[in-house]
Amino acid sequence: FDETINQRLRGVSRMESLEIILEGSPLTLSPEEKTRLAEEKNDRYRALLGQLTPADMEDDVRETLRALRAARLKLAVGSSSRNAGFILHQLQAEDLFDGVCDGTQITRSKPDPEVFLRAAGLLGLPPADCLVVE
C-alpha cells in the first residue's frame, strides 16, 4: 500500500484497517478469515508493545503532560485502539491522565466523534470546553 492508504489507517479499528488494506486486493475473505487475520496482526502487535518501556516516551512529552496536570487541566486519552490502556501501562503513564476512552468503549471509530465525546464525559466536561491534541 502507499502513503495515502497509510494515512487512511490512522485512528480506525482493526477490522476497518483490514478492509482498507483489502480494497485493492483480489482476495475474497470470509468474515471468519478476516477476524483470524485481524487477531493474528493484533497478537504480533501486542508482542511488540510488550517491549515498550517508560524510556520509549519522549521526555518532552512526559514533562508536557506533567506541566498540564500541574496547571490543573484534566487530561484524557481518546483512542480507537483497544491497546491504549496496555500502552499507557507499558510506558508507566497511566497517572498522567484522568481518563482513558479506547476502542473497548466505543462502537464507531474516528473520524466519528464518539471517542472524543466519551473522553469528555469521563472528565465530566462539556465537549465545548475540551481541546483535542493529536
Side-chain angles (χ1 to χ4, degrees), residues 42-88:
N42 195 56
D43 290 344
R44 290 180 184 194
Y45 181 59
R46 282 188 62 92
L48 291 172
L49 293 179
Q51 298 172 24
L52 283 174
T53 70
D56 289 306
M57 179 184 273
E58 296 285 334
D59 291 338
D60 289 346
V61 171
R62 193 176 297 274
E63 289 309 312
T64 297
L65 292 169
R66 286 183 177 145
L68 292 171
R69 288 187 63 74
R72 298 186 158 199
L73 293 174
K74 292 184 177 184
L75 304 176
V77 171
S79 173
S80 296
S81 172
R82 293 176 176 266
N83 296 308
F86 182 67
I87 292 168
L88 291 174

Side-chain angles (χ1 to χ4, degrees), residues 35-47:
T35 298
R36 183 189 58 76
L37 283 173
E39 288 173 359
E40 181 181 334
K41 175 263 175 196
N42 195 56
D43 290 344
R44 290 180 184 194
Y45 181 59
R46 282 188 62 92

Side-chain angles (χ1 to χ4, degrees):
F1 59 89
D2 60 18
E3 188 62 32
T4 301
I5 293 172
N6 189 50
Q7 290 300 318
R8 289 179 56 206
L9 299 176
R10 293 182 177 271
V12 299
S13 72
R14 193 174 312 140
M15 291 307 290
E16 286 175 271
S17 65
L18 179 59
E19 292 294 343
I20 290 168
I21 290 170
L22 290 175
E23 283 174 1
S25 172
L27 292 176
T28 303
L29 301 175
S30 70
E32 294 79 17
E33 289 171 312
K34 289 178 182 178
T35 298
R36 183 189 58 76
L37 283 173
E39 288 173 359
E40 181 181 334
K41 175 263 175 196
N42 195 56
D43 290 344
R44 290 180 184 194
Y45 181 59
R46 282 188 62 92
L48 291 172
L49 293 179
Q51 298 172 24
L52 283 174
T53 70
D56 289 306
M57 179 184 273
E58 296 285 334
D59 291 338
D60 289 346
V61 171
R62 193 176 297 274
E63 289 309 312
T64 297
L65 292 169
R66 286 183 177 145
L68 292 171
R69 288 187 63 74
R72 298 186 158 199
L73 293 174
K74 292 184 177 184
L75 304 176
V77 171
S79 173
S80 296
S81 172
R82 293 176 176 266
N83 296 308
F86 182 67
I87 292 168
L88 291 174
H89 174 76
Q90 289 299 110
L91 296 174
Q92 295 179 6
E94 299 120 308
D95 64 324
L96 298 174
F97 298 95
D98 300 293
V100 176
C101 180
D102 65 16
T104 65
Q105 301 164 30
I106 60 171
T107 58
R108 295 176 307 280
S109 296
K110 298 175 200 171
D112 187 278
E114 179 184 16
V115 70
F116 303 118
L117 297 174
R118 288 185 179 261
L122 290 174
L123 298 177
L125 295 171
D129 291 344
C130 296
L131 171 71
V132 173
V133 177
E134 184 72 32

